[in-house]
Amino acid sequence: MKVLGIETSCDETGVAVYDTAVGGASGLRAHAVYSQIALHAEYGGVVPELASRDHVRKLLPLIRQTLAEAGLSTTDIDGVAYTAGPGLVGALLVGAGVARALAWGLDVPAIGVHHMEGHLLAPLMEDDPPAAPFVALLVSGGHTQLVAVDAIGRYRLLGETLDDAAGEAFDKTAKMMGLPYPGGPQLAALAEHGTPGAFRFARPMTDRPGLDFSFSGLKTQVLLAWRGSDQADATRRDIARGFEDAVVDTLAIKCARALDAAGCDTLVVAGGVGANTRLRAKLQADARRRGGRVCFPRPALCTDNGAMIAFAGALRLAAGQYDDATVRATPRWDMASLSSVAAAT
Ligand code: ATP
Ligand code: MG
Ligand code: FE
């Protein structure tokens, strides 16, 4: 089954085709992402109305481009998957409207996909995928969650951030230190050249039991260190390194706890911060020490993309699940309310 995936929940327009008959990494026939970063840069953050309008401009050309790259025409498509939430309502409506109309016109089923389930399942698109049960760490711009995955589609929240998401903390900290929007990846790049230990920040909420996170205080700690410093380039690099190490350590400590609590040896990491080199290395080292396994998507599939939506939708469509003709946009949507994929088969 060839499934067209459409992602428009925030500031990336993503389109992909995933073929379940092929499966694995090769099942991804083509994928393309158009990022609106330049559009929002002068405002220092995503402007929802501008995001919606740009999705309108870019989505159809991107669908044509992706199908051409896959060597397919619209009539080859057996199903359409689109991000139905959570996200910006106007942005979601653009993808949902186009996806629903296309499915209607082609007389194929369509399904609204949960954006975070898309992130969570992205590592399963790679070769040698992990099997449930496992623990997932979702670390993105809007979420920091530890989730017990009992089966595909059956998710239990083990812990989450009480304030900023990890990616949000990266972006806000970068902004405070004068880096251009969106600063997360740039802060991480600077940290590569910083001196470890030159600045040491707290590992928030690791001194007490529990699986929740808090990154807001860490951000303030970094702001005070930055204000009190000489603000030289070398200092910026050292502070970036101190901040990154604090976030990575905190995430790693809570992941180990979550694996213990769930009695699992497999960790799956997804979302934009999952592209962070130091986080990947730290969690790999921890997994080796524990005798367990950690699985990531390739870095390009950590941040928002259409491939994860095509894949997550394809699993459900192939199991016989699909939506009625409603154009669905659900800005707030609890992942625990999803149904098991296997239940429909
Ligand atoms: P959500 O998925 O929660 O709705 P989102 O879709 O905006 O949020 P993603 O696209 O998954 O989030 O990820 C973007 C976030 O990842 C940004 O906050 C960005 O700073 C962060 N990020 C991307 N690359 C890196 C990196 N190498 N190191 C640290 N953070 C990174
Ligand atoms: Mg984005
Ligand atoms: Fe995302």
Side-chain angles (χ1 to χ4, degrees):
M1 166 170 225
K2 295 180 196 69
V3 176
L4 179 73
I6 294 176
E7 156 64 34
T8 64
S9 70
C10 189
D11 61 342
E12 265 89 29
T13 316
V15 178
V17 179
Y18 191 85
D19 188 347
T20 56
V22 180
S26 318
L28 184 58
R29 294 280 299 263
H31 88 103
V33 178
Y34 173 80
S35 174
Q36 302 178 354
I37 282 175
L39 176 72
H40 302 290
E42 67 174 293
Y43 305 98
V46 177
V47 183
E49 180 58 22
L50 294 183
S52 311
R53 292 180 195 193
D54 212 39
H55 286 307
V56 170
R57 272 190 292 267
K58 295 298 179 347
L59 185 52
L60 286 176
L62 209 60
I63 291 174
R64 285 194 199 97
Q65 177 194 324
T66 309
L67 287 173
E69 275 169 26
L72 299 171
S73 70
T74 44
T75 50
D76 294 317
I77 295 302
D78 304 304
V80 182
Y82 63 94
T83 303
L88 302 170
V89 69
L92 290 169
L93 277 169
V94 177
V98 169
R100 245 331 330 172
L102 200 56
W104 184 268
L106 294 170
D107 195 21
V108 296
I111 190 156
V113 172
H114 192 293
H115 180 80
M116 297 313 294
E117 179 176 54
H119 276 302
L120 191 156
L121 297 180
L124 277 64
M125 222 184 320
E126 304 294 359
D127 290 326
D128 191 18
F134 54 76
V135 168
L137 170 69
L138 301 178
V139 265
S140 57
H143 295 79
T144 299
Q145 297 184 329
L146 279 161
V147 177
V149 179
D150 299 321
I152 306 305
R154 289 225 338 261
Y155 308 120
R156 271 183 301 124
L157 186 66
L158 299 174
E160 66 182 332
T161 184
L162 304 178
D163 41 58
D164 291 352
E168 185 182 1
F170 262 93
D171 294 334
K172 286 179 174 171
T173 303
K175 193 172 181 178
M176 278 166 5
M177 292 204 292
L179 298 178
Y181 166 88
Q186 301 196 42
L187 188 79
L190 277 187
E192 284 306 297
H193 305 286
T195 311
F199 285 83
R200 190 182 157 84
F201 302 110
R203 275 62 174 151
M205 297 181 68
T206 54
D207 58 350
R208 70 199 87 160
L211 295 170
D212 288 334
F213 302 91
S214 165
F215 292 109
S216 175
L218 173 62
K219 189 183 63 192
T220 309
Q221 241 194 326
V222 174
L223 176 64
L224 294 176
W226 173 245
R227 282 199 183 142
S229 78
D230 61 4
Q231 306 198 351
D233 286 347
T235 309
R236 190 189 273 112
R237 291 195 289 269
D238 290 347
I239 292 180
R241 179 60 191 260
F243 167 80
E244 186 181 61
D245 282 346
V247 174
V248 167
D249 268 2
T250 305
L251 293 172
I253 291 167
K254 299 282 166 125
C255 283
R257 265 189 213 173
L259 287 165
D260 286 342
C264 279
D265 60 4
T266 303
L267 178 69
V268 157
V269 183
V273 183
N276 185 273
T277 315
R278 204 162 294 285
L279 179 66
R280 292 170 88 98
K282 169 78 175 140
L283 293 177
Q284 293 279 13
D286 287 359
R288 266 196 301 275
R289 206 176 43 245
R290 293 174 64 96
R293 188 176 175 204
V294 60
C295 306
F296 305 89
R298 70 198 85 163
L301 300 186
C302 284
T303 43
D304 288 351
N305 63 84
M308 67 188 197
I309 302 304
F311 179 72
L315 291 183
R316 290 188 180 275
L317 288 168
Q321 297 182 15
Y322 56 90
D323 292 341
D324 60 22
T326 316
V327 175
R328 277 180 59 203
T330 315
R332 296 178 75 86
W333 184 4
D334 182 2
M335 215 171 47
S337 69
L338 296 179
S339 63
S340 167
V341 170
T345 56

